[in-house]
Amino acid sequence: MKRALMLNAVDPGIGGVLIRGDRGTAKSSAVRALARLLPDYEAVEGCPYRCDPATPSLYCDDCRRRAMSGPLQVTRVPMRIVELPINASEDRLVGSIDIEAAVRAGTRRFQPGVLAEANRNLLYVDEVNLLDDHLVDVLLDAAAMGVNVVEREGISIVHPSHFILVGTMNPEEGELRPQLLDRFGLCVDVVTPTDIDQRLRVIELERDFLEDPRAVHLVWAKREAELRTQLQAATARLGSVQLPDAIRTLIARLCLDGLVAGHRADLVVAATARAICALRGGAVVELPDVIEALELALAHRRREPIADKQAQVQELASRAAEQLAQIQATTPNETAQAVRGEATQQEGTSGGEANEGWTTAESRESTSTEAVDVDADAVIQLPTFAVKKLDLPRERQARRAAGKRTTTKSETKRGRYVRSSQAERVTDVAFDATVRAAAPYQLSRRLGTADSTNQLQLETHDLRQKVRERKTGNLIVFVVDASASMDAEQRMLATKGAILSLLRHAYVRRDKVALVAFSGRNARVVLRPTSSVDLAERRLERLNIGGTTPLTHGLMTALKLIKTERLRDPRVYPLLVLISDGRGNISLFGEEPLLEAQRMAGQIKQDGIRAMVIDSTRDFGSQPGYPKSRVTSLYGAYAFNVCGDLAERLGGRYYGLFDLSQRSIVDSVQREMLRTGSA
């Protein structure tokens, strides 16, 4: 993590760094501490964007006008960390009209936003994966073009916005959109230390810092000064670092081997290798520099997950050494021909799917037919298999219920400003619409006042409220019976396939999937709400199966999970999917298990949560000749269809599936989502 941050300080052109890791691993602290090492730089005095006096082509409009009158005054300013809050509005990010200046003086003045503050600085986004889509789009545009274009409320501003983008995130809370993920030049994963001495050292440092912060700073001042000097020397040396043709060819080959999309990986690896060389004091990029750069630049761009990172690094080093020796032994023409031939070969073997992005999992997963014996309290290894594509319509009529999957009206200040409206209580002023509403009456209002200067005269009925829209997604919570039964293995395998299908093909809609499994004496959250396919695969790899059936606890755990997610995002639209035979046999409150489950189902319905029940006893209750009210022998001691009764109390639909498979579960969920208008 520190290495990646320092490399970006040496060469901001690398494109920033994404830091992924567990909670409480000092990701944010490390980024903020980087500010103490960043060097000062020259900027145009009085410029709100801190334009570089040595680069007139990147001047803002104001600096261009001032430069025509004579030389610009130059000052030195410190590089700083500019933070983008997760709940920031679009106005705060891109900038907006200065309301105070408009009201007091009747003038239109631009008030710079975060992108203006970030120019030539470091832009830090904590929990970047939780950013709203419209903010991500704006951030992407600015990062790609190096300028921020503002066209709103009667003003037109274009200003430079070159920044080092640093983001931190916890993968458990969902992955980034692929478009934003690729914008980060480097990516590092931070794991929780398991060495007891390291953990004790963290405790000691925390204690020392709380007791005397100044003393801790003094202890590390010498080391920080050395790092600062090292960074400055590396930055000055960077321009003279050479990248030989053989190394450049090696980078191209290794990026092809890594099955990455586009050319950004090659460019980032080359820039990172030069920064590494400059940091170690070298003049020519060597093989170890390239290998280290590949580890940092390809971690988030590979399409294939890495099972053993250490083995992969060793394999990469040996393969790189062999290829470098081969490249150095060939002529430049032969080398270029070999690279082109390798690219053509990979294109052919991928069947044209290499450019489909990050969700082409069907091309790399195969069906497993290995049988697994299931015993009580057994741990099964769930194989991977081909997942069914979930085809949901992209465009539907806007539904009025809260939290639909497409664009919905936002009641908060988050979301894209799309239009204005009149409201009894204005909490988010649409200044452009307010000015337009008040404009026709300005002359008459000024005549009736003692002060007839050119000031904007507003009245209460002129005020307009901003109407914002934002995208929200579904939360699909699977509640699965993991108790010992004949179909326990099939039930879990089918559920895993359904979860992965939903994640792979509904990610762009910002959907999340969770899994609650119940067996033994309690229920457990196997997979918390996530949109990460990789995280789901890891968490679903091994599942405990066996024991009794605590159905009530499973429903209660799912209800708590949904309530917690609603607190984080009130606009989320949950769907509870119960997969069970309905025969709970463990009491939670000391009552009859069936009555407890029925009461919990009623509570879920009362909380307005959509639900559906998939009967894992193979469609017996829905076949002709088996009415739900007369199925006795097939449902143990109950003289009715327990799953059908639970579905009725949940206010959802009952699905009896003769073939309990991944395909049938996905089809049932798809029908339910289409029926409720949430697709």
Side-chain angles (χ1 to χ4, degrees):
M1 174 173 61
K2 294 179 182 178
R3 183 74 162 176
L5 291 171
M6 290 180 64
L7 291 173
N8 273 275
V10 172
D11 183 8
I14 289 175
V17 58
L18 174 65
I19 304 173
R20 303 184 296 196
D22 301 331
R23 297 179 296 271
T25 49
K27 301 185 296 293
S28 302
S29 300
V31 175
R32 294 188 177 99
L34 180 65
R36 298 172 62 89
L37 304 178
L38 297 177
D40 298 344
Y41 58 88
E42 291 187 344
V44 176
E45 188 173 1
C47 176
Y49 313 110
R50 297 160 306 284
C51 289
D52 186 358
T55 315
S57 61
L58 299 180
Y59 281 176
C60 63
D61 293 339
D62 185 54
C63 287
R64 285 195 181 95
R65 287 191 296 268
R66 291 165 56 190
M68 295 175 64
S69 303
L72 298 175
Q73 296 295 322
V74 177
T75 183
R76 292 194 66 83
V77 294
M79 184 178 283
R80 48 188 283 261
I81 308 291
V82 179
E83 296 192 35
L84 174 64
I86 291 300
N87 59 349
S89 64
E90 188 174 357
D91 294 347
R92 178 71 185 98
L93 177 62
V94 303
S96 181
I97 192 170
D98 190 333
I99 296 180
E100 182 178 356
V103 172
R104 289 183 177 275
T107 59
R108 290 183 301 179
R109 182 189 303 168
F110 179 67
Q111 184 174 26
V114 172
L115 290 179
E117 297 176 23
N119 186 41
R120 305 187 68 195
N121 286 320
L122 189 149
L123 179 59
Y124 172 50
V125 187
D126 193 13
E127 304 295 347
V128 63
N129 51 324
L130 302 183
L131 271 180
D132 282 343
D133 282 349
H134 70 287
L135 295 182
V136 172
D137 294 334
V138 172
L139 200 59
L140 282 175
D141 290 341
M145 298 187 299
V147 296
N148 178 35
V149 181
V150 184
E151 297 279 354
R152 60 194 309 161
E153 295 165 345
I155 57 176
S156 178
I157 296 290
V158 179
H159 68 78
S161 185
H162 294 272
F163 49 83
I164 303 173
L165 183 60
V166 177
T168 58
M169 59 174 282
N170 182 359
E172 291 186 356
E173 297 173 341
E175 289 291 348
L176 277 172
R177 288 172 56 190
Q179 297 94 328
L180 183 58
L181 188 66
D182 190 50
R183 294 291 182 184
F184 286 97
L186 308 180
C187 178
V188 293
D189 292 293
V190 183
V191 297
T192 303
T194 56
D195 181 73
I196 189 65
D197 292 333
Q198 282 186 325
R199 299 180 72 92
L200 288 174
R201 182 59 180 149
V202 171
I203 297 175
E204 292 170 359
L205 277 174
E206 167 81 0
R207 180 199 61 200
D208 295 344
F209 186 80
L210 292 177
E211 290 178 354
D212 192 351
R214 186 174 300 177
V216 174
H217 283 305
L218 289 175
V219 170
W220 294 97
K222 182 179 179 181
R223 176 58 179 154
E224 285 187 350
E226 293 174 354
L227 284 176
R228 192 178 299 109
T229 303
Q230 185 181 2
L231 284 176
Q232 292 174 354
T235 303
R237 193 185 300 114
L238 181 64
S240 61
V241 173
Q242 298 180 7
L243 189 68
D245 291 341
I247 293 293
R248 190 179 293 110
T249 305
L250 174 67
I251 291 173
R253 281 191 173 182
L254 293 176
C255 288
L256 282 173
D257 290 345
L259 297 176
V260 297
H263 299 285
R264 185 172 282 116
D266 305 56
L267 301 175
V268 171
V269 171
T272 305
R274 293 181 71 246
I276 293 172
C277 180
L279 203 56
R280 66 174 174 81
V284 180
V285 174
E286 299 177 357
L287 180 60
D289 303 329
V290 176
I291 294 175
E292 183 180 356
L294 286 167
E295 291 182 52
L296 296 171
L298 299 191
H300 56 308
R301 293 187 170 94
R302 290 188 183 92
R303 293 176 181 170
E304 297 289 346
I306 300 174
D308 188 347
K309 183 176 179 180
Q310 189 65 29
Q312 191 271 344
V313 171
Q314 294 176 356
E315 180 186 355
L316 176 63
S318 60
R319 188 170 72 246
E322 293 174 1
Q323 292 196 11
L324 181 59
Q326 181 183 358
I327 291 170
Q328 291 173 338
T330 59
T331 64
N333 289 337
E334 291 173 345
T335 298
Q337 224 171 11
V339 173
R340 284 196 296 271
E342 190 170 343
T344 305
Q345 181 182 3
Q346 289 197 11
E347 202 174 298
T349 56
S350 64
E353 294 182 358
N355 293 326
E356 290 185 1
W358 299 86
T359 57
T360 56
E362 294 85 358
S363 63
R364 64 174 183 266
E365 299 213 11
S366 58
T367 304
S368 174
T369 56
E370 181 181 356
V372 183
D373 294 330
V374 181
D375 298 323
D377 298 323
V379 177
I380 66 169
Q381 183 77 26
L382 295 180
T384 58
F385 47 86
V387 296
K388 178 182 181 294
K389 183 174 181 179
L390 179 61
D391 289 320
L392 297 177
R394 289 297 186 111
E395 297 181 3
R396 292 177 58 83
Q397 294 280 337
R399 42 184 304 285
R400 295 184 178 181
K404 71 181 182 60
R405 189 184 287 209
T406 52
T407 306
T408 48
K409 182 179 177 182
S410 174
E411 303 296 337
T412 66
K413 291 187 179 182
R414 299 181 64 180
R416 184 182 294 276
Y417 169 37
V418 292
R419 62 182 184 277
S420 62
S421 66
Q422 283 186 293
E424 294 182 3
R425 182 171 176 267
V426 177
T427 57
D428 191 7
V429 178
F431 191 75
D432 56 334
T434 300
V435 172
R436 285 194 296 268
Y441 310 103
Q442 293 306 296
L443 184 58
S444 59
R445 290 176 184 174
R446 292 193 190 107
L447 292 175
T449 60
D451 186 2
S452 60
T453 57
N454 186 23
Q455 293 185 0
L456 185 64
Q457 305 288 331
L458 293 179
E459 296 184 4
T460 305
H461 58 81
D462 296 327
L463 296 178
R464 297 294 185 269
Q465 174 82 5
K466 283 185 177 179
V467 177
R468 299 182 182 269
E469 289 184 351
R470 60 179 302 206
K471 291 183 179 180
T472 58
N474 290 293
L475 169 63
I476 306 171
V477 180
F478 287 90
V479 186
V480 185
D481 184 355
S483 60
S485 62
M486 293 290 291
D487 61 353
E489 175 202 351
Q490 174 67 18
R491 191 161 52 220
M492 283 300 178
L493 292 178
T495 303
K496 175 189 175 182
I499 289 175
L500 296 181
S501 289
L502 291 167
L503 285 176
R504 294 188 195 283
H505 299 287
Y507 172 70
V508 294
R509 299 176 180 87
R510 309 296 285 180
D511 285 349
K512 291 184 178 181
V513 177
L515 172 62
V516 175
F518 57 93
S519 63
R521 306 294 302 181
N522 53 30
R524 60 197 180 279
V525 180
V526 178
L527 179 68
R528 293 199 169 274
T530 182
S531 56
S532 168
V533 179
D534 293 336
L535 179 63
E537 286 180 332
R538 292 197 300 269
R539 293 295 172 87
L540 301 178
E541 186 177 0
R542 296 177 65 83
L543 289 172
N544 293 323
I545 291 181
T548 50
T549 311
L551 175 59
T552 306
H553 200 183
L555 293 173
M556 186 178 69
T557 303
L559 178 59
K560 289 181 178 179
L561 185 70
I562 292 172
K563 286 184 174 181
T564 301
E565 194 67 17
R566 275 180 164 176
L567 289 175
R568 296 173 54 191
D569 184 5
R571 310 294 295 178
V572 74
Y573 199 44
L575 170 65
L576 187 149
V577 183
L578 175 63
I579 305 178
S580 174
D581 57 13
R583 289 175 283 192
N585 51 25
I586 294 295
S587 172
L588 187 62
F589 305 109
E591 302 179 13
E592 206 281 325
L594 176 61
L595 294 178
E596 290 183 351
Q598 290 174 339
R599 191 155 38 245
M600 187 57 61
Q603 180 64 45
I604 293 172
K605 178 182 179 181
Q606 185 178 348
D607 287 347
I609 298 172
R610 295 176 302 161
M612 57 181 287
V613 179
I614 297 178
D615 192 345
S616 64
T617 53
R618 302 296 196 275
D619 201 34
F620 294 122
S622 60
Q623 291 291 333
Y626 292 93
K628 294 180 183 179
S629 59
R630 302 300 300 168
V631 181
T632 305
S633 60
L634 298 176
Y635 286 88
Y638 303 123
F640 59 94
N641 186 335
V642 182
C643 287
D645 177 74
L646 285 175
E648 202 170 309
R649 295 177 184 273
L650 286 166
R653 287 210 170 185
Y654 168 85
Y655 292 87
L657 302 180
F658 182 74
D659 176 24
L660 187 65
S661 64
Q662 167 246 340
R663 176 186 293 269
S664 62
I665 293 176
V666 170
D667 288 342
S668 300
V669 173
Q670 179 179 359
R671 287 197 298 271
E672 183 66 21
M673 295 170 73
L674 291 173
R675 185 181 72 84
T676 56
S678 61

